[in-house]
Amino acid sequence: MIRDIVRDIIFLGRKSQAATRDDLPVSQDLLDTLAAHRQECVGMAANMIGVLKNIIVVHTEQGDTIFINPVIEKKSDPYVTEEGCLSLLGTRQTTRYRKIVVSYEDVNMKKRRRTYTGWTAQIIQHECDHLEGILI
């Protein structure tokens, strides 16, 4: 189901909680909502659609990928960039890392660990910030 985008900075500033198997329908809502905003958005966190759970979806080389309870374990090669967000007006400067290692669960709740670089790494970092209530 396509959900409305949350723009309330008080809500977006709240930290999300661990997701469980019961929260899996949120993943489909994220996929549907991201698809509806494909022209202006490449990733989405659950709080952007009103759900405070640790779930993100990111457009990767393999297509839209769901990350449940993602944790960035390692990061290297920092750089400064400017990012926009569907939930916030304008753009903001932030520091990102060109290479990250992320552990997460997939939609089958199977643990995964992958290395991401470049643009995909940047999107994952942005969405993980959302889960922590960090607004950039």
Side-chain angles (χ1 to χ4, degrees):
M1 170 174 61
I2 298 170
R3 307 277 285 285
D4 290 337
I5 301 299
V6 173
R7 299 186 194 306
D8 177 356
I9 60 170
I10 301 298
F11 183 84
L12 293 169
R14 293 174 57 194
K15 190 171 179 173
S16 295
Q17 302 299 312
T20 66
R21 190 172 296 283
D22 292 339
D23 299 310
L24 288 176
V26 174
S27 300
Q28 187 59 54
D29 290 350
L30 279 169
L31 289 170
D32 294 344
T33 306
L34 180 62
H37 293 277
R38 179 72 61 212
Q39 295 298 322
E40 65 235 358
C41 190
V42 292
M44 215 171 256
N47 67 347
M48 294 175 67
I49 60 169
V51 180
L52 289 172
K53 291 294 183 170
N54 289 339
I55 305 171
I56 65 173
V57 61
V58 174
H59 187 70
T60 69
E61 303 83 31
Q62 293 79 34
D64 292 339
T65 302
I66 296 165
F67 297 77
I68 300 170
N69 300 315
V71 174
I72 298 173
E73 296 180 345
K74 294 181 184 178
K75 45 192 176 183
S76 60
D77 198 6
Y79 65 99
V80 175
T81 189
E82 194 168 278
E83 295 177 350
C85 180
L86 194 59
S87 288
L88 305 169
L89 294 175
T91 59
R92 286 147 205 83
Q93 194 173 64
T94 188
T95 299
R96 296 293 182 212
Y97 297 84
R98 286 185 174 84
K99 183 177 180 181
I100 61 172
V101 177
V102 182
S103 62
Y104 64 98
E105 295 164 272
D106 64 19
V107 292
N108 298 311
M109 302 304 284
K110 182 177 179 185
K111 293 193 181 290
R112 304 278 184 189
R113 188 171 188 263
R114 289 204 50 203
T115 300
Y116 292 92
T117 59
W119 178 241
T120 302
Q122 183 176 338
I123 301 165
I124 293 169
Q125 291 168 82
H126 179 100
E127 302 313 332
C128 284
D129 278 355
H130 270 291
L131 301 179
E132 294 296 319
I134 298 169
L135 304 178
I136 49 106

